[in-house]
Each structure stands twice: as C-alpha cells, then as structure tokens.
Amino acid sequence: MELVLLVILVAVSFAGGAVVTSVGPGGIFVVAALYGFTALPAAVVAGTSSVTFIGGSVLGAAGYVYSDDMDWGMALLIGIGGAVGTQLGVLLNGAVSRRSFGVLLGVLLGTVGATILLRERGDLDRLPTEALDVAPTSGAGVVVFGTIGLLVGAAGGLFGIGGAALVPPALVVVGVSMITALAVTQVAVVFIASASAVSYTLQGSVAVPLVFAIAAGYLLGALGGWRVAKRVDPDRLTTALGVLLIGSMPVLVYRSLLL
C-alpha cells in the first residue's frame, strides 16, 4: 500500500475516533474510507473495521461506567443479541458483491446522516415514546432490547460498523434517555465488533498490517482528538457531520455502480 494512502486512512481513522468521543458516530467513516480508497474485498473491509473499533469502545464504556450512566441490564441484552445477530451479518456479507456492498453502505451513510440531523433538531426526543417505554428486566424488555441487538448486530456483521450509529436512535424510540443510550451503545459495540472481528479473523478477512495502523489512529482520536473537535461549536460540528454523511451517499452509490 502506498504511503500516501496509508496516511489518509490513518487520518480518517483518527477523525472517526474524535467524532465518536465528541458528537456521534464516526466509525462509519473508517468503513467508507476502506471501501472507497482501496480495492479490498467487502469481507476484508468489514473485518478490518470491526477490529479497529474494539479498543475505542472499551474506553468509551469505561468512561460511562465511571460517570455512573451505564444500564448494565440493557447493555448486556443488546450486546448478547448483537453478538448473535453478527453471525447473520457475516453470512450476508459473503452473499453480496462488492458493488452491492457499496450501494448498501451508501444508503446506510445517508440514513445515519438523516438520523443525526433529526437528533440535532430534537425531533427524536419529541417522538411519542412513553407507550413503548419498557424495563430491561421485564419480559417485554428482553424481547425489545434483544431484538434491537439482533438487528444492529446483523448490520454490524455485514458492514463492520460496530453499531454506534444505529443503537442510540433505536433506543430513543423505545423511551430510553439519550445519555443512557450512548452509554449502552459502547458496551453493545464491544460485543458486536468483537464477534465480527473473531468471525472475520477466522475467515482470514482482516488486513493484519493495515489494522494496526488504523486502529492506532482511531484509538488516538478517541483518547485525545475530542479536544480538537471541542474547539468548534458542537452544534455546527454535528450538523456538518450529518450533512457530510448525506452528501456522501450519492457519491458512494454512484462509484459502486460503476464497478
């Protein structure tokens, strides 16, 4: 791999880690960069990305545990469900072409971008969620949070995204506060990314030399990159993130269709 390309991938990973710890989902940029800037097969893109996200999620989970915002019952239900759903996602990854992977990833980018903008406007918080509010210890809670984990895990296994972009809006819809949703997401990503990483590693679908470089960039971004991000108005930064994701959708879809 050319040095310039490696530097770009590490820089994107650093930025992704900084975004994760400051305003929202950033790992999805790592997946998009690996797909868009390299010729790696879809399985290697997903596998390499999955390994990358484990360390940052462990750090994020530790931070929310320290601040006493973690709901362990909910986190474990979603995490275990996600680990199971991941296996379905890995199977789906093997069934789609690289072109289809790119188109689906582009659609996901746009969906996540729209969700970020809705959350920034407060529209998610205004949803009538009271009737759906369930406790993790109830039978309904096991079904609801386990199902969320299964679905997010399937997406995580397919794309190697970990689930940080999908868990918070899903939890807000069922009445979970945003701070708890963000805390639970960190544990869920540890489960989902680890399960994906193991599956793809066993397939030989992890770019070992590359993963060390981008994982280091992502971890450094998660540790200290947020200080750079905090120098910008967080509202503007979040809005810019959403717009960038939405704008990336047609580019990625168009590029994929040209393959």
Side-chain angles (χ1 to χ4, degrees):
M1 179 174 290
E2 295 181 359
L3 179 60
V4 173
L5 178 56
L6 180 61
V7 171
I8 291 174
L9 291 175
V10 173
V12 171
S13 299
F14 178 88
V19 170
V20 163
T21 55
S22 58
V23 297
I28 197 168
F29 286 114
V30 178
V31 182
L34 285 173
Y35 175 84
F37 295 143
T38 75
L40 294 173
V44 178
V45 170
T48 304
S49 299
S50 297
V51 176
T52 299
F53 301 144
I54 296 174
S57 299
V58 170
L59 285 175
Y64 281 108
V65 170
Y66 179 78
S67 63
D68 200 27
D69 292 310
M70 185 66 67
D71 185 323
W72 280 108
M74 190 185 304
L76 292 176
L77 276 174
I78 296 175
I80 293 171
V84 174
T86 293
Q87 305 312 306
L88 173 60
V90 172
L91 292 175
L92 290 173
N93 181 282
V96 300
S97 65
R98 195 174 192 277
R99 173 185 290 181
S100 298
F101 180 89
V103 172
L104 292 172
L105 179 60
V107 172
L108 181 64
L109 287 174
T111 302
V112 172
T115 301
I116 289 173
L117 293 181
L118 287 173
R119 190 176 72 187
E120 179 64 17
R121 285 162 47 92
D123 291 339
L124 287 181
D125 294 331
R126 291 195 292 267
L127 289 173
T129 58
E130 290 81 1
L132 297 175
D133 194 15
V134 292
T137 54
S138 67
V142 172
V143 173
V144 169
F145 297 120
T147 300
I148 289 174
L150 282 169
L151 295 176
V152 173
L158 172 58
F159 296 108
I161 59 173
L166 304 177
V167 174
L171 291 181
V172 169
V173 167
V174 297
V176 178
S177 68
M178 184 58 72
I179 187 65
T180 301
L182 292 173
V184 166
T185 295
Q186 304 305 312
V187 175
V189 173
V190 173
F191 276 83
I192 293 170
S194 297
S196 293
V198 170
S199 296
Y200 284 113
T201 299
L202 292 176
Q203 292 182 9
S205 297
V206 174
V208 177
L210 177 60
V211 76
F212 284 110
I214 63 173
Y218 189 81
L219 192 59
L220 287 173
L223 282 171
W226 63 272
R227 295 187 179 183
V228 177
K230 289 297 184 182
R231 295 182 179 179
V232 182
D233 183 345
D235 292 336
R236 292 184 179 179
L237 192 61
T238 303
T239 300
L241 174 63
V243 171
L244 178 60
L245 286 168
I246 293 174
S248 301
M249 178 179 68
V251 175
L252 192 58
V253 170
Y254 177 74
R255 186 182 183 283
S256 301
L257 293 175
L258 291 179
L259 293 177

